[in-house]
């Protein structure tokens, strides 16, 4: 265990809105948030949308919805504002240009007029940019301008030596400066590249810790050089381990992954719609590259905030076990108080059955059925199939296969007798409660000399239309005496028809 950090950190999540947020991105945001909260600092949301070609407007809405769903509220960001607004890079373009020009004035960056065709020629030969315009004379520059060529601003990277970046969990990462081929900082459309914008913003927004995916490791030395060129202190870098596909073989797919014949999506929105609880997803993702301790897999948000430290993040790539997420969701469902689970289930059940979610929250049937299904579901989406029978009229409970109404080792006629005997009990029993019903049906099983299991099957199918359903006497109670009798009557009629045609 590490001692809690004391100085408040400023940590940003800086996604590019190019598509729907996936679980890997959400894990980065979660670690950013955890560290900010652990240190009593700030969590900042910054939108890196300077690549206009890849911009997807739907993605921003999806991103914010997903973060809020997980409970990762940001202290500063596009919609909430903050001391360093705006937090959307395309709204900050004038700023980046200013800083790029400053580097040019200092001789640390230069205008490059190389045409797209010339660059393509280099690429075709497998060559990087050859710094051909790094030392243009004023006359040469004027000639290109006169030709009407557009210019980009490139960084004049050191031509020799090594740059070493320290990563808090990986140690030193070094590159030969000569391999940094004067990357573009400002494009000809006046927009910055990621490298310029990220460095300028991390500085201006006073970011202390950069926690981001390990795919950004190759960019870190360049960022460090840019911080040095501006004479700004660099933040602490922490490159988070990549999330692998469940097989552990490759990077998690951007499409669906198939595990044991079932499809799992990489997108957070599919978990929101798919009956997952934010607390379970939070807990699950916190285990992807960090661990609470050697034994505990299940912990609360508060416990994670209290203990989280970057020093404890493992740089090792982790496979994402989707089925474990499902299991964990079941654990969280079982831990919920009934009232909480009713609230969580209502929107799913309402959507499935075309009911009003708000009304359903207060519906006695859902309130009574919830504890009965709590142990049986791993996803909120699984409840409807177990309880839908309670929300439809008796006419909608049909028996397309009336043989299902026959108890084990019974004939159709015997099952019919059972239903009729049971109906006589239900008509009169006082009080009409699950324990009283259970006692009466046990006695019936003894009198009729039929095992309880076989005796109850006809009733289960009669009232729910299903062979697998929540506990029977509670289900009868949910329906009420009249409705229970109606359904038993309908089932008896179906059995009578069956008995008549098969005898
Ligand atoms: N905009 C980059 C992304 O889409 C952010 C990388 C970083 O955090 O520096 O992941």
């Amino acid at each position: 265990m590490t001692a809690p950090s004391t100085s408040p950190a400023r940590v940003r999540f800086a996604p590019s809105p190019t598509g729907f947020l996936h679980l890997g991105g959400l894990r980065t945001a979660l670690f950013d948030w955890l560290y900010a909260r652990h240190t009593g600092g700030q969590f900042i949301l910054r939108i890196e949308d300077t690549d206009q070609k890849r911009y997807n407007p739907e993605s921003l809405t999806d991103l914010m919805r997903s973060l809020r769903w997980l409970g990762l509220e940001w202290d500063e960001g596009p919609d909430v504002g903050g001391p360093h607004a705006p937090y959307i890079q395309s709204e900050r373009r004038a700023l980046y240009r200013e800083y790029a020009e400053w580097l040019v004035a200092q001789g640390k960056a230069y205008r490059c007029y190389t045409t797209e065709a010339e660059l393509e020629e280099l690429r075709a030969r497998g060559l990087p940019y050859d710094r051909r315009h790094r030392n243009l004379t004023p006359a040469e520059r004027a000639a290109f301008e006169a030709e009407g060529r557009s210019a980009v601003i490139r960084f004049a990277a050191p031509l020799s030596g090594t740059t070493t970046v320290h990563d808090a969990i990986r140690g030193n990462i070094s590159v030969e400066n000569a391999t940094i081929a004067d990357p573009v900082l400002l494009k000809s459309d006046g927009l910055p590249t990621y490298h310029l914008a990220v460095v300028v913003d991390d500085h201006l927004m006073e970011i202390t810790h950069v926690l981001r995916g390990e795919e950004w490791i190759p960019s870190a030395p360049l960022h460090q050089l840019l911080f040095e060129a501006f004479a700004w202190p660099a933040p602490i870098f922490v490159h988070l381990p990549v999330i692998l596909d469940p097989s552990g073989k490759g990077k998690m797919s951007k499409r669906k992954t198939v595990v044991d014949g079932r499809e799992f999506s990489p997108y957070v929105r599919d978990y929101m719609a798919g009956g997952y609880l934010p607390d379970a997803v939070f807990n699950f993702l916190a285990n992807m590259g960090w661990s609470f301790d050697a034994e505990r897999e299940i912990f609360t948000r508060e416990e994670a905030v209290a203990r989280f430290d970057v020093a404890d993040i493992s740089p090792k790539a982790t496979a994402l076990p989707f089925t474990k997420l499902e299991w964990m969701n079941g654990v969280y469902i079982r831990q919920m108080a009934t009232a909480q689970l009713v609230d969580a289930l209502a929107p799913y059940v309402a959507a499935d059955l075309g009911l009003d979610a708000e009304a359903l929250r207060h519906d006695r049937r859902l309130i009574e059925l919830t504890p009965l299904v709590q142990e049986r579901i791993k996803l909120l989406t699984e409840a409807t199939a177990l309880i839908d029978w309670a929300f439809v009229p008796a006419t909608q409970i049909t028996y397309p296969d009336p043989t299902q109404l026959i108890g084990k080792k019974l004939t159709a006629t015997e099952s019919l007798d059972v239903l009729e005997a049971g109906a006589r009990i239900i008509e009169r029993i006082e009080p009409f409660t699950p324990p009283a019903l259970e006692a009466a049906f046990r006695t019936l099983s003894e009198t009729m000399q039929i095992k309880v299991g076989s005796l109850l099957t006809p009733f289960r199918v009669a009232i729910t239309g299903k062979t697998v359903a929540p506990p029977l006497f509670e289900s009868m109670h949910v329906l009420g005496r009249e409705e229970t009798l109606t359904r038993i009557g309908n089932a008896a009629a179906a059995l009578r028809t069956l008995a008549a045609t098969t005898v």
Side-chain angles (χ1 to χ4, degrees):
M1 227 184 93
T2 37
S5 318
T6 43
S7 45
R10 287 182 55 84
V11 193
R12 87 303 192 274
F13 178 51
S16 297
T18 53
F20 298 130
L21 185 66
H22 51 77
L23 291 172
L26 188 60
R27 195 276 313 261
T28 299
L30 170 62
F31 281 21
D32 287 332
W33 182 90
L34 276 171
Y35 193 58
R37 293 290 171 266
H38 172 74
T39 60
Q42 287 85 39
F43 173 55
I44 296 133
L45 175 62
R46 182 174 75 221
I47 305 302
E48 303 204 327
D49 62 343
T50 57
D51 187 349
Q52 301 280 293
K53 286 193 291 289
R54 296 176 61 222
Y55 181 69
N56 170 348
E58 245 191 292
S59 143
L60 188 57
T61 327
D62 173 79
L63 180 80
M64 299 217 227
R65 256 186 84 223
S66 305
L67 295 177
R68 290 211 160 101
W69 175 74
L70 204 74
L72 309 183
E73 291 291 335
W74 44 98
D75 306 299
E76 298 169 28
D79 52 346
V80 301
H84 303 287
Y87 291 87
I88 299 190
Q89 287 188 329
S90 59
E91 295 172 14
R92 300 167 65 80
R93 57 180 89 191
L95 208 70
Y96 307 119
R97 178 183 276 281
E98 224 175 88
Y99 282 97
E101 293 293 356
W102 185 85
L103 285 178
V104 173
Q106 302 294 309
K108 293 175 176 173
Y110 59 93
R111 284 197 157 59
C112 168
Y113 299 88
T114 315
T115 63
E116 199 35 55
E118 288 166 338
L119 287 170
E120 188 45 48
E121 213 178 285
L122 286 172
R123 273 196 293 267
R125 289 193 286 144
L127 297 174
Y129 173 65
D130 54 9
R131 304 185 175 93
R132 62 180 68 176
H133 290 176
R134 182 162 165 145
N135 297 303
L136 292 180
T137 62
E140 285 168 325
R141 249 194 310 273
F144 284 134
E145 297 276 350
E147 257 180 58
R149 286 203 193 191
S150 57
V152 300
I153 292 180
R154 286 185 183 270
F155 180 50
L159 299 172
S160 60
T162 327
T163 296
T164 301
V165 184
H166 183 75
D167 179 294
I169 60 172
R170 295 167 195 268
N172 288 342
I173 301 165
S174 299
V175 298
E176 295 299 319
N177 291 332
T179 62
I180 302 177
D182 291 7
V184 175
L185 301 178
L186 200 74
K187 295 177 275 187
S188 57
D189 62 4
L191 280 168
T193 56
Y194 158 67
H195 304 299
L196 176 64
V198 82
V199 167
V200 167
D201 284 348
D202 282 345
H203 172 71
L204 295 181
M205 295 180 181
E206 301 175 78
I207 299 305
T208 59
H209 294 73
V210 168
L211 276 68
R212 62 182 172 195
E214 73 173 272
E215 65 272 27
W216 300 104
I217 291 178
S219 304
L222 169 61
H223 297 173
Q224 170 114 339
L225 286 170
L226 283 169
F227 278 108
E228 286 167 14
F230 285 116
W232 294 334
I236 292 171
F237 290 106
V238 186
H239 290 93
L240 305 176
V242 70
I243 294 187
L244 301 173
D245 168 270
S247 67
K249 292 213 185 78
K251 216 179 140 190
M252 201 174 82
S253 162
K254 289 248 156 91
R255 270 161 274 128
K256 298 212 184 294
T257 301
V258 178
V259 185
D260 299 335
R262 293 178 47 217
E263 281 192 338
F264 288 91
S265 161
Y267 298 114
V268 180
R269 61 197 331 244
D270 292 325
Y271 293 84
M272 293 166 69
Y276 286 82
L277 295 166
D279 283 347
V281 176
F282 182 107
N283 189 155
F284 174 78
L285 288 178
N287 282 322
M288 295 286 101
W290 178 74
S291 51
F292 188 82
D293 64 25
E295 283 98 46
R296 264 177 77 187
E297 260 187 323
I298 308 272
F299 43 83
T300 65
R301 285 166 195 265
E302 294 71 30
E303 288 172 321
V305 166
R307 192 174 286 220
F308 188 85
D309 202 348
V310 290
D312 300 328
I313 298 171
S314 154
K316 243 180 82 214
T318 22
L320 197 133
F322 290 103
T323 45
K324 180 135 201 188
L325 171 54
E326 217 176 46
W327 165 81
M328 196 172 266
N329 205 61
V331 171
Y332 272 83
I333 286 182
R334 290 195 290 282
Q335 282 178 359
M336 286 170 99
T338 305
Q340 228 187 335
L341 185 55
V342 168
D343 281 347
L345 287 176
Y348 290 92
V349 177
D352 289 338
L353 300 180
L355 301 171
D356 175 63
E358 201 35 49
L360 199 56
R361 274 203 175 99
H362 309 286
D363 190 306
R364 185 188 59 80
R365 292 168 293 184
L366 183 63
I367 296 168
E368 279 190 40
L369 286 166
T370 294
L372 306 181
V373 298
Q374 187 158 15
E375 298 287 323
R376 299 169 184 225
I377 56 172
K378 290 209 284 281
L379 303 175
L380 299 173
T381 43
E382 291 168 349
T384 306
L386 294 170
I387 62 173
D388 52 356
W389 51 267
F391 301 90
V392 297
T395 47
Q396 278 185 37
I397 306 292
T398 53
Y399 311 99
D401 176 9
T403 60
Q404 289 187 337
L405 287 160
I406 301 173
K408 207 166 154 208
K409 299 207 179 127
L410 300 181
T411 63
T413 317
E414 283 164 342
S415 296
L416 184 57
D417 290 345
V418 161
L419 281 180
E420 284 168 349
R424 283 194 292 277
I425 293 175
I426 293 168
E427 271 163 22
R428 277 177 277 111
I429 195 163
E430 284 305 341
F432 184 69
T433 58
L437 284 164
E438 169 145 22
F441 274 79
R442 285 207 179 277
T443 312
L444 183 65
S445 136
E446 279 158 29
T447 349
M448 294 186 83
Q449 304 253 308
I450 297 172
K451 285 214 173 95
V452 176
S454 311
L455 181 87
L456 299 188
T457 298
F459 295 97
R460 176 169 303 111
V461 179
I463 75 165
T464 66
K466 302 174 200 283
T467 49
V468 180
L472 180 62
F473 303 118
E474 280 84 355
S475 299
M476 290 182 175
H477 186 255
V478 167
L479 286 180
R481 197 193 304 263
E482 285 313 309
E483 180 69 16
T484 302
L485 286 169
T486 307
R487 294 184 185 197
I488 293 174
N490 292 347
L495 266 184
R496 236 171 258 124
T497 313
L498 179 73
T501 51
T502 50
V503 168

